[in-house]
């Protein structure tokens, strides 16, 4: 573990309670998303407990806020790493390091890309779709309301355990490692987690398909044929146009038309 | 009154999409579960929730992209279906609700863009407050921004549900109930659409292992 700068007088050191308060605020990091500074306002608001802990001087507080209201963007969960690094460097700034503000701004600029890409790949492309597919598959297994609620609770935990872990651990690691946070953000580190969601999600999807097909066969072969027909049309249409609304509209019309053809008006 | 309550609930759950928490309670299976509990019809709500969930799995609310408000749209579909679950025309109701949800998701995307532009205005006030070291004011402005999004989405939900009511009443008046059967193949078609939209997600991930 790298040596942490130890220049801060004990009376203004950050406490774990302050970090926990930042963690709670981090759930609102995207609350004032705008096209000029993206998530910077939410980011700055997350750090208010740190501002109040480190500075009593008004000018120092203004400078602190100015540093964090500048353009910033990241995946909302991974932004915790940047928050942790900012807390670390703000401590250094409060200790009187004149170069630290520049380092902080440069570091935040560098983190924009890596935190966005890592979070998008890990959560939006992997954990979110696969945990929700698992949820849908589990819900297909039962029609008993208490069991359905249990399945929903399981899916909620399946998604939110890594979510909360990354939010909290990101803060702690960012604070601990400071400028060396890059060591902790390599893709290999998240590969095992991604693999486990991918494999369980794929198995759940196949289970879902099997249950859906069985259910549709019980209703009638016509329903199964319509489902498969819509599937083939939608796959090709979406593959070549990439237009969600066009694909949805075509399937909507096809679904109704096939009903009119089979059952008449 | 119940309409206002449901619209507010949809607005509140909608905050989870990007504004606050992001614990996924705005995702169709969870929001449908909550609406199902409110309406007292969990199985019907979750059937719609599952169907709509597959549709919106690939939508990523990342960065400055204009993304469909699929979560709000799904809640509209679910609420309309649950509102009229007592009628003898379930397939017609589903067709109306599905169309309503998809249209709402499209309009919702532009409401989100408008909200983000309003946030740009609030940013000016926030920067002014920061220059004067009024940090409590910054927190209040942030809360105002959250409240504006909540109001916009609740209003959108209210209008969508109101139009849904009018359409279903008109369909009840002008279409014979026997026509409901002709709409019965829409649900299997929507399942097919949902599966088709998951395939690109699976394909993208599988490619990494090949």
């Amino acid at each position: 573990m790298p040596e942490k700068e130890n220049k801060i007088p004990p009376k203004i050191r950050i406490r774990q309670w302050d970090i926990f308060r930042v963690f709670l605020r981090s759930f609102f990091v995207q609350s004032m998303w705008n096209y000029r500074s993206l998530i910077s306002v939410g980011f700055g608001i997350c750090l208010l407990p740190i501002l109040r802990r480190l500075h009593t001087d008004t000018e120092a507080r203004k400078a602190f806020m100015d540093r964090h209201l500048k353009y910033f963007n990241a995946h909302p969960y991974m932004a915790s790493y940047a928050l942790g690094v900012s807390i670390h460097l703000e401590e250094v700034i409060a200790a009187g390091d004149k170069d630290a503000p520049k380092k902080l701004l440069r570091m935040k600029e560098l983190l924009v890309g890596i935190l966005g890409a890592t979070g998008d790949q890990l959560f939006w492309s992997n954990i979110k779709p696969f945990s929700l597919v698992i949820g849908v598959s589990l819900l297909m297994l039962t029609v008993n309301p208490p069991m359905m609620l249990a399945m929903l609770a399981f899916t909620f935990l399946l998604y939110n355990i890594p979510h909360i872990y990354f939010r909290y651990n990101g803060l702690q690691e960012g604070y601990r490692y400071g400028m060396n946070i890059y060591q902790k953000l390599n893709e290999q580190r998240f590969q095992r987690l991604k693999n486990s969601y991918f494999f369980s999600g794929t198995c759940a999807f196949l289970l879902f398909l099997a249950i859906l097909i069985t259910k549709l066969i019980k209703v009638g072969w016509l329903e199964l044929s319509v489902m498969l027909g819509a599937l083939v049309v939608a796959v090709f249409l979406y593959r070549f146009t990439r237009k969600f609304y066009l694909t949805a509209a075509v399937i909507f019309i096809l679904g109704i038309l096939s009903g009119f053809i089979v059952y008449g008006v | 009154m119940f309409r206002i309550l449901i619209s507010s609930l949809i607005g509140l759950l909608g905050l989870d999409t990007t504004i606050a928490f992001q614990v996924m309670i705005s995702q169709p299976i969870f929001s449908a579960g909550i609406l199902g509990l409110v309406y007292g019809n969990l199985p019907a709500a979750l059937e719609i929730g599952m169907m709509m969930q597959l549709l919106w799995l690939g939508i990523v609310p990342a960065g400055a992209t204009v993304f469909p408000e699929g979560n709000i749209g799904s809640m509209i579909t679910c609420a309309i279906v649950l509102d009229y679950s007592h009628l003898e025309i379930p397939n017609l109701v589903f067709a109306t609700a599905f169309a309503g949800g998809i249209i709402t998701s499209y309009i919702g995307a532009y409401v989100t863009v408008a909200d983000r532009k309003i946030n740009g205005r609030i940013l000016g006030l926030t920067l002014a407050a920061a220059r004067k070291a009024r940090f409590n004011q910054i927190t209040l402005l942030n809360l105002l921004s959250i409240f504006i999004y909540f109001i916009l989405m609740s209003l959108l939900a209210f209008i969508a549900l109101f139009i849904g009511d009018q359409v279903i009443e008109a369909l009840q008046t002008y279409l014979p109930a026997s026509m409901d059967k002709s709409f019965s193949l829409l649900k299997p078609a929507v399942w097919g659409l949902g599966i088709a939209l998951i395939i690109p997600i699976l394909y993208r991930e599988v490619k990494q292992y090949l």
Side-chain angles (χ1 to χ4, degrees), chain B residues 124-191:
Chain B
L125 299 174
T126 307
L127 294 175
R131 278 193 292 273
K132 292 172 188 162
R134 291 178 181 164
F135 301 115
N136 288 335
Q137 200 175 328
I138 295 175
T139 308
L140 286 175
L141 286 166
N142 195 41
L143 288 174
L144 173 71
S145 158
I146 295 171
F147 185 68
I148 288 172
Y149 182 86
F150 164 72
I151 291 293
L152 287 175
M153 286 304 161
S154 301
L155 206 61
L156 175 69
F158 185 81
I159 293 167
L161 292 175
F162 177 76
I163 294 172
D165 287 345
Q166 306 307 310
V167 172
I168 288 178
E169 274 175 30
L171 289 176
Q172 261 186 296
T173 313
Y174 297 110
L175 291 184
S178 58
M179 235 181 125
D180 185 63
K181 183 82 174 156
S182 305
F183 288 84
S184 64
L185 294 179
L186 183 60
K187 268 188 190 176
V190 174
W191 278 119

Side-chain angles (χ1 to χ4, degrees), chain B residues 10-89:
Chain B
I10 291 173
L12 202 65
L13 289 171
L15 289 175
D16 178 73
T17 305
T18 51
I19 304 293
F21 303 113
Q22 292 194 290
V23 292
M24 296 298 137
I25 49 161
S26 58
Q27 289 295 319
I29 51 169
F30 295 114
S31 59
I34 293 165
L35 285 170
L37 288 174
V38 172
Y39 279 92
N41 192 353
L42 192 65
L46 283 177
E47 189 200 358
I48 302 299
M50 286 188 281
M51 220 179 269
M52 300 306 282
Q53 184 66 74
L54 300 183
L55 255 56
W56 301 112
L57 268 181
I59 303 297
V60 175
T65 51
V66 179
F67 58 89
E69 276 289 348
N71 296 342
I72 299 283
S74 303
M75 287 186 249
I76 295 298
T77 302
C78 192
I80 293 176
V81 168
L82 293 174
D83 260 333
Y84 293 98
S85 58
H86 59 282
L87 295 183
E88 296 292 310
I89 47 167

Side-chain angles (χ1 to χ4, degrees), chain A residues 94-106:
Chain A
D97 187 330
K98 300 283 183 215
D99 292 333
K102 274 185 194 164
K103 281 184 197 168
L104 172 60
L105 294 176
R106 182 79 192 117

Side-chain angles (χ1 to χ4, degrees), chain A residues 232-245:
Chain A
V232 172
V233 172
V235 162
F236 281 102
L237 198 57
Y238 191 66
R239 169 82 179 79
F240 292 111
T241 63
R242 288 277 148 200
K243 287 182 176 160
F244 170 80
Y245 287 106

